[in-house]
Amino acid sequence: MRVSQIGEFGLIDRLRKFQNLTSRIVKGIGDDAAVLKHNAQRYQLVTTDMLVEGGHFLRSMPAEKIGRKALACSISDIAAMGGLPTAAVVSLGIPEDLDIAFVERMYAGMLRVARIFGVSLVGGDTVRSKKITINVALLGEVEKTRLVCRDGAKVGDVIFVSGPLGGSLKSGRHLTFTPRVKEARFLVEHFKPTAMMDISDGLVGDLGHILKASGVGAALERGKIPVNRGVTFRQALTEGEDFELLFTLAKPVARKLIARFPRKFHAIGQILSRSSGLRLMNNDGKTGLLNLKAFAHF
Amino acid sequence: MRVSQIGEFGLIDRLRKFQNLTSRIVKGIGDDAAVLKHNAQRYQLVTTDMLVEGGHFLRSMPAEKIGRKALACSISDIAAMGGLPTAAVVSLGIPEDLDIAFVERMYAGMLRVARIFGVSLVGGDTVRSKKITINVALLGEVEKTRLVCRDGAKVGDVIFVSGPLGGSLKSGRHLTFTPRVKEARFLVEHFKPTAMMDISDGLVGDLGHILKASGVGAALERGKIPVNRGVTFRQALTEGEDFELLFTLAKPVARKLIARFPRKFHAIGQILSRSSGLRLMNNDGKTGLLNLKAFAHF
């Protein structure tokens, strides 16, 4: 059987059996970052992201933005756990005929976003490769009391996103987005999300991860989902690389958040029991099952 | 200017200016692993290695061994700092037509070596890529008193390798080598190497890194360099991927090591002042300058 037949998430499910967790590992495969024991107050977070020319970016795009994106994706993963990023190691696969200035501009872009978010670039590897390939492995930290995973959503929780969705690739936003570190920290410090992740594979697909991990279902309200300009509703539901936060809050806390920030965070639906599956409530109040088909890498 | 014109190490030198070290970073770019503050007794180590099909392995090679190699390279880096590996995240770039069984066998190979060396595989990323690309980012730990870097070699120190060199690619040893964790830990616990690294780019090139970092020169003794069977002396000096330890010891300590393990560790030369450059003493006692040309990735 080929990788294309089971898709990225089918493959990840199969690879899960190859993890060997020890007592020092709090959480392994299956969240935005792995969680390791660190000290009495904090956990360490680790995430890794590979970007390949042709899939995640084109050589014709500005090199600074390519570098920026490579690091920003990983920062977004750390934010989605409620943490703060600390240090990154970068592996670079580059064609031998690539202009050194291009490589330096990629690094300059990475360094700029690193500085903004307090990340130290501490080392790396460079190898020869036909396609430009960038791997960022990023460490982070989170207070034990502030860690948020995908598996804590409860029936009755309200589902939120941190901004409008869709059209990230077409608009170029996938190169220039701001990882939601500030928002995520604000949420974990004051509102205790029950589940959180960043939207990298599309709202429906990523909400599906939360539902599966938490063993619940959900209903989204069509009229409440914020959609970027020039983007269809379907695109907002399924397109990847928005890098907004998707999170759930217990109802009383949700009410407070809505009252304080009616425009910043968008309540888009509610967590239901598992048997409900994932439903969409149309503007006429009727609900139907949503097909869990989202952007997949294969 | 193209990457091929300055080579891997020229490129790394140029990229050094893009690192931004903070107070939590003990050592950034330029050693086998980055060194981060961890707790009162220990540092944390981080290393990343990218392997690309065609360069580091072929698809026709056994998948288990490819996976094994990907993790073993990184384990070797942690060992070279005197540390013990702890947890790894793996990014995988794979062609969509690749057989899932191939991917699973790669992971099985990784898991096997992970178990032997106490590494937890805790997460990863999978993306589409034309060439199979594996990136392993590995964490490790080392007691502050046992950290060994490349920059501590002193004039008069004796230079050692942990085993015979050369022919790793041709013999297939680059797929099956044992990372020298046990040997490195034994050395840092009992013999306090002044400098250490693993030989991944060839003896001459890698010794060059120690000399440069330590600001010293060296003389190697031709007759003392252990050479693998079927391999020329030149190959033993310049071929990469031996993954033996290259280390230096102060003379009194060196004598003790030689007396206790005359066959396990090989004294191959001596550290001289910087102005001596890198010299080779032939069997007739005459010495000449050695050309610092080793296996480079570009």
Side-chain angles (χ1 to χ4, degrees):
Chain A
M1 199 160 42
R2 309 283 149 190
V3 171
S4 53
Q5 291 171 269
I6 57 168
E8 183 189 6
F9 303 114
L11 182 63
I12 291 173
D13 269 348
R14 273 171 174 255
L15 296 181
R16 218 180 274 258
K17 64 175 172 283
F18 295 105
Q19 70 179 333
N20 59 329
L21 303 184
T22 59
S23 61
R24 80 171 77 223
I25 312 302
V26 181
K27 213 161 185 76
I29 295 173
D31 220 302
D32 290 280
V35 184
L36 314 183
K37 285 187 186 165
H38 190 51
N39 61 33
Q41 292 78 40
R42 287 157 186 271
Y43 292 130
Q44 187 167 54
L45 303 168
V46 197
T47 181
T48 184
D49 284 283
M50 185 179 278
L51 271 66
V52 184
E53 180 187 355
H56 303 89
F57 62 87
L58 304 172
R59 210 183 289 197
S60 57
M61 292 172 175
E64 290 88 348
K65 289 188 178 172
I66 297 171
R68 187 190 190 289
K69 175 178 182 175
L71 182 53
C73 290
S74 293
I75 293 175
S76 182
D77 282 329
I78 297 294
M81 307 295 291
L84 286 167
T86 54
V89 285
V90 180
S91 296
L92 208 54
I94 35 181
E96 51 184 337
D97 65 346
L98 191 66
D99 197 318
I100 294 163
F102 190 93
V103 181
E104 293 194 320
R105 287 203 305 274
M106 282 202 302
Y107 263 85
M110 236 178 314
L111 182 58
R112 197 163 311 138
V113 76
R115 285 199 173 123
I116 292 171
F117 291 98
V119 175
S120 295
L121 301 179
V122 298
D125 190 22
T126 58
V127 301
R128 189 156 54 177
S129 161
K130 277 205 176 158
K131 300 277 179 191
I132 302 172
T133 308
I134 315 174
N135 194 90
V136 173
L138 179 63
L139 301 178
E141 284 181 17
V142 62
E143 304 86 345
K144 287 182 178 178
T145 55
R146 289 177 175 158
L147 174 72
V148 189
C149 298
R150 296 178 179 178
D151 58 3
K154 301 267 183 306
V155 174
D157 285 358
V158 180
I159 304 166
F160 287 85
V161 288
S162 62
L165 307 176
S168 178
L169 289 166
K170 204 175 156 194
S171 67
R173 239 184 341 267
H174 72 109
L175 292 171
T176 59
F177 71 93
T178 301
R180 300 302 186 205
V181 177
K182 211 177 58 184
E183 292 79 358
R185 288 297 295 176
F186 175 79
L187 290 168
V188 298
E189 284 168 15
H190 302 291
F191 289 87
K192 282 210 153 295
T194 50
M196 186 156 68
M197 66 182 298
D198 69 337
I199 301 182
S200 55
D201 296 320
L203 173 62
V204 175
D206 285 332
L207 180 56
H209 293 311
I210 286 182
L211 301 187
K212 192 175 171 192
S214 301
V216 294
L220 294 175
E221 290 186 58
R222 181 171 182 134
K224 294 198 172 170
I225 295 170
V227 176
N228 274 311
R229 236 173 258 178
V231 172
T232 67
F233 181 67
R234 196 192 151 77
Q235 287 172 321
L237 283 193
T238 57
E239 284 187 353
E241 309 219 346
D242 283 314
F243 298 106
E244 294 291 350
L245 296 169
L246 173 65
F247 59 97
T248 53
L249 294 182
K251 221 172 250 170
V253 191
R255 275 195 214 105
K256 272 189 221 162
L257 184 70
I258 295 167
R260 277 189 62 185
F261 301 95
R263 319 195 78 169
K264 177 97 192 134
F265 299 104
H266 308 260
I268 60 168
Q270 199 172 325
I271 296 295
L272 305 176
S273 69
R274 185 183 209 148
S275 59
S276 309
L278 176 53
R279 298 177 164 275
L280 181 68
M281 188 195 289
N282 281 308
N283 298 343
D284 58 8
K286 287 183 186 156
T287 69
L289 267 182
L290 237 177
N291 193 349
L292 262 172
K293 213 174 176 180
F295 178 81
H297 291 175
F298 293 99
Chain B
M1 197 158 45
R2 309 282 148 190
V3 172
S4 53
Q5 290 172 269
I6 57 169
E8 182 188 7
F9 302 114
L11 182 63
I12 291 174
D13 269 346
R14 273 171 174 254
L15 296 181
R16 216 180 275 258
K17 64 175 172 284
F18 294 105
Q19 71 180 331
N20 59 328
L21 302 184
T22 59
S23 60
R24 79 171 80 222
I25 313 301
V26 180
K27 215 164 183 78
I29 295 172
D31 220 301
D32 292 278
V35 184
L36 313 184
K37 286 187 186 165
H38 190 53
N39 61 34
Q41 292 79 41
R42 286 157 188 271
Y43 291 130
Q44 187 168 51
L45 304 168
V46 196
T47 181
T48 185
D49 285 283
M50 185 179 277
L51 272 65
V52 184
E53 178 187 356
H56 303 89
F57 62 87
L58 304 173
R59 209 182 291 196
S60 57
M61 292 171 175
E64 289 87 349
K65 289 188 179 172
I66 296 170
R68 187 191 190 288
K69 175 178 182 174
L71 182 54
C73 290
S74 293
I75 293 175
S76 181
D77 282 329
I78 297 295
M81 307 295 290
L84 287 167
T86 54
V89 283
V90 180
S91 297
L92 208 54
I94 36 182
E96 50 185 337
D97 65 345
L98 191 67
D99 197 320
I100 294 163
F102 191 94
V103 182
E104 293 195 320
R105 287 202 305 274
M106 283 202 301
Y107 263 85
M110 237 179 309
L111 182 58
R112 197 163 309 137
V113 76
R115 286 201 172 120
I116 292 171
F117 290 98
V119 176
S120 295
L121 301 180
V122 298
D125 189 22
T126 58
V127 300
R128 190 155 55 175
S129 161
K130 277 204 176 161
K131 300 277 178 190
I132 301 172
T133 308
I134 315 174
N135 194 90
V136 174
L138 179 63
L139 301 178
E141 285 181 16
V142 62
E143 303 87 346
K144 287 182 178 177
T145 55
R146 288 175 177 161
L147 174 72
V148 189
C149 298
R150 295 178 180 179
D151 58 3
K154 301 268 182 307
V155 174
D157 284 0
V158 181
I159 305 166
F160 286 84
V161 288
S162 61
L165 307 177
S168 178
L169 289 165
K170 204 176 156 194
S171 66
R173 237 183 343 266
H174 72 109
L175 292 171
T176 59
F177 70 93
T178 301
R180 299 302 185 204
V181 177
K182 210 176 61 186
E183 291 80 357
R185 289 296 296 176
F186 175 80
L187 289 168
V188 297
E189 285 167 14
H190 302 290
F191 288 88
K192 282 207 152 297
T194 50
M196 186 156 67
M197 67 182 297
D198 69 337
I199 301 181
S200 54
D201 296 320
L203 173 62
V204 175
D206 285 332
L207 180 57
H209 294 311
I210 287 182
L211 301 187
K212 193 176 170 192
S214 302
V216 294
L220 293 175
E221 289 186 59
R222 181 172 183 131
K224 294 199 171 166
I225 295 170
V227 176
N228 274 312
R229 237 173 256 177
V231 172
T232 68
F233 181 67
R234 193 191 155 77
Q235 287 172 321
L237 283 193
T238 58
E239 285 187 352
E241 309 220 345
D242 282 314
F243 298 105
E244 294 291 350
L245 296 169
L246 173 66
F247 60 98
T248 55
L249 294 181
K251 221 171 248 169
V253 191
R255 276 195 212 104
K256 272 189 220 161
L257 184 70
I258 296 166
R260 276 190 62 185
F261 301 94
R263 319 196 79 170
K264 176 94 193 136
F265 298 105
H266 308 259
I268 61 169
Q270 199 173 325
I271 297 294
L272 305 176
S273 69
R274 184 182 210 148
S275 60
S276 309
L278 176 53
R279 298 178 163 274
L280 182 66
M281 189 194 289
N282 281 309
N283 297 342
D284 57 8
K286 286 184 187 157
T287 69
L289 268 181
L290 235 177
N291 194 349
L292 262 171
K293 212 174 177 180
F295 178 81
H297 291 176
F298 293 98

